[in-house]
Amino acid sequence: MKKLSLELHAELEIPDDWELVEHSSGIHVLKIGDRFVDFDITPLATTSSSPDASWSDEDEKFTEEVLDMVTGLDSKMQITYLQ
């Protein structure tokens, strides 16, 4: 067995009315209207080697197989105000 480390970094420009809040579950999430949003990983797969291949997570069994390999996951969110 091998270990894969994966780092994802994303930046989103968001409207002023979106905010970071602490959810009752204890995690910090993005609040958009009446919805609470957290970010997670979802593996996308294709069987095509074509440059314009379609990628999806529609194969639930395969997606679960990959996600079952995740032994740790952490996400952090921070809002920075643009000048």
Side-chain angles (χ1 to χ4, degrees):
M1 185 72 60
K2 300 182 268 189
K3 181 179 255 186
L4 169 69
S5 293
L6 173 67
E7 286 188 35
L8 299 175
H9 177 86
E11 291 184 12
L12 292 76
E13 289 189 12
I14 62 173
D16 289 336
D17 62 335
W18 292 13
E19 60 184 328
L20 275 180
V21 298
E22 185 172 344
H23 188 266
S24 61
S25 64
I27 63 171
H28 286 88
V29 296
L30 191 58
K31 186 162 186 332
I32 305 171
D34 62 351
R35 295 181 184 201
F36 299 97
V37 178
D38 191 18
F39 292 89
D40 203 343
I41 62 168
T42 300
L44 302 177
T46 186
T47 56
S48 172
S49 61
S50 171
D52 60 346
S54 294
W55 296 81
S56 78
D57 62 350
E58 291 177 350
D59 184 340
E60 291 181 26
K61 184 177 178 187
F62 182 74
T63 299
E64 282 298 316
E65 182 180 336
V66 174
L67 289 176
D68 283 346
M69 299 296 146
V70 176
T71 59
L73 180 63
D74 185 29
S75 66
K76 296 177 186 170
M77 286 189 262
Q78 172 183 336
I79 291 180
T80 304
Y81 292 93
L82 303 174
Q83 301 281 330

